[in-house]
Amino acid sequence: MSTTDQRVAVVTGAARGIGAATAVRLAAEGRAVAVLDLDEAACKETVEKITAAGGTALAVGCDVSDEAQVEAAVARIVQELGAPTILVNNAGVLRDNLLFKMSVSDWDTVMNVHLRGAFLMSRACQKHMVDAGFGRIVNLSSSSALGNRGQVNYAAAKAGMQGFTKTLAKELGKFGVTANAVAPGFIATDMTAATAERVGMGFEEFKAAAATQIPVQRVGEPEDIANAVAFFTGDAAGFVSGQVLYVAGGPLN
Ligand SMILES: NC(=O)c1ccc[n+]([C@@H]2O[C@H](COP(=O)([O-])OP(=O)(O)OC[C@H]3O[C@@H](n4cnc5c(N)ncnc54)[C@H](O)[C@@H]3O)[C@@H](O)[C@H]2O)c1
């Protein structure tokens, strides 16, 4: 493939953590990558990492739960990088609390970022995939989809991502578009560091305690997830669709 028909990938929530590692990994695979996050300036570090390694990247500021911002962001990506045919719906937030203490706002925020965000981004990008007769959508689910105390909102959203993924696979397969979900277990990022802080533990101690419960005896790194996303977004994965891959250092169910 020449540089003029280089595939364009969009990774949401790519300023840090799993999204940043995924953006860097997809760029290393030769993709031109739209590094999308709430704040364009926060995407700078990821973009610089990609360009320093000789890749192509564009920082895009966008709230994935806002329809107008999503439409504008995708239009800009088409203009500045080209039509996106790879989409990784990774943007995410936690608003943990036990059911009896959970506010409506915390419920809605989690639903809006994960589910509404993935819906809006997928709807905006699918047209370009259908036009190209090729597409790869990867949605970030979580081991919490199986149920997790204090995460009734997040667990529902991440289980929702799985049904969303399977339906995209059924609707879009005939256009050469696959959709799969990656469901991480414990990955060391700002998100899990914030959880450690919330429960009053140091991050190192929190990770060590988590590792004892994981068969491979370590917590995951963002690159562990980026590797799985790279597989699903590759040209060679065209017969793999509608799947949920738990990447958790062991089986979960
Ligand atoms: N870290 C883990 O252990 C873990 C486990 C399972 C699933 N996940 C999922 O993986 C994904 C990435 O997690 P992470 O640990 O890298 O989190 P993180 O908090 O380190 O990064 C998430 C990124 O998403 C961005 N974001 C949040 N709301 C957004 C919005 N409305 N629009 C655009 N960007 C937005 C944030 O600004 C941030 O840069 C999330 O979907 C998360 O739920 C993480």
Side-chain angles (χ1 to χ4, degrees):
M1 194 183 293
S2 75
T3 44
T4 48
D5 58 11
Q6 182 180 34
R7 292 200 198 289
V8 173
V10 184
V11 183
T12 72
R16 58 185 63 78
I18 293 168
T22 300
V24 167
R25 176 62 199 265
L26 296 188
E29 303 266 319
R31 318 307 188 185
V33 182
V35 176
L36 186 151
D37 211 291
L38 277 174
D39 176 12
E40 184 173 328
C43 298
K44 199 169 162 242
E45 204 179 305
T46 309
V47 167
E48 280 175 2
K49 223 175 182 177
I50 291 171
T51 51
T56 306
L58 173 73
V60 180
C62 170
D63 178 346
V64 296
S65 67
D66 183 300
E67 184 181 7
Q69 287 188 39
V70 166
E71 293 298 325
V74 173
R76 189 180 152 213
I77 292 163
V78 171
Q79 195 75 29
E80 296 188 33
L81 276 187
T85 54
I86 298 171
L87 170 65
V88 184
N89 285 308
N90 166 81
V93 289
L94 293 180
R95 293 289 185 275
D96 294 355
N97 225 328
L98 294 173
L99 173 64
F100 80 103
K101 290 194 282 191
M102 185 167 292
S103 68
V104 170
S105 154
D106 284 349
W107 175 270
D108 288 345
T109 298
V110 168
M111 292 302 150
N112 286 342
V113 176
H114 298 269
L115 287 176
R116 193 169 201 261
F119 155 64
L120 291 172
M121 287 298 306
S122 301
R123 195 181 61 172
C125 290
Q126 59 79 30
K127 173 187 181 307
H128 303 289
M129 300 182 186
V130 169
D131 286 350
F134 174 92
R136 298 281 184 264
I137 300 174
V138 179
N139 298 312
L140 268 291
S141 179
S142 167
S143 54
S144 295
L146 301 167
N148 200 23
R149 187 179 153 81
Q151 292 195 317
V152 73
N153 50 358
Y154 186 77
K158 291 308 200 185
M161 290 296 256
Q162 299 189 7
F164 178 69
T165 301
K166 291 175 190 186
T167 303
L168 290 181
K170 289 191 174 184
E171 288 190 13
L172 298 174
K174 65 177 169 216
F175 304 108
V177 179
T178 66
N180 291 284
V182 175
F186 188 118
I187 310 297
T189 67
D190 289 357
M191 185 177 273
T192 38
T195 302
E197 201 175 326
R198 193 175 58 79
V199 300
M201 276 171 90
F203 195 31
E204 291 310 315
E205 185 196 354
F206 191 60
K207 283 191 289 187
T212 64
Q213 304 304 310
I214 299 171
V216 301
Q217 297 287 291
R218 68 168 177 91
V219 301
E221 297 299 329
E223 291 72 20
D224 289 313
I225 305 307
N227 288 336
V229 177
F231 166 69
F232 282 128
T233 56
D235 286 22
F239 204 55
V240 182
S241 196
Q243 301 305 301
V244 179
L245 180 65
Y246 285 90
V247 181
L252 292 172
N253 58 354

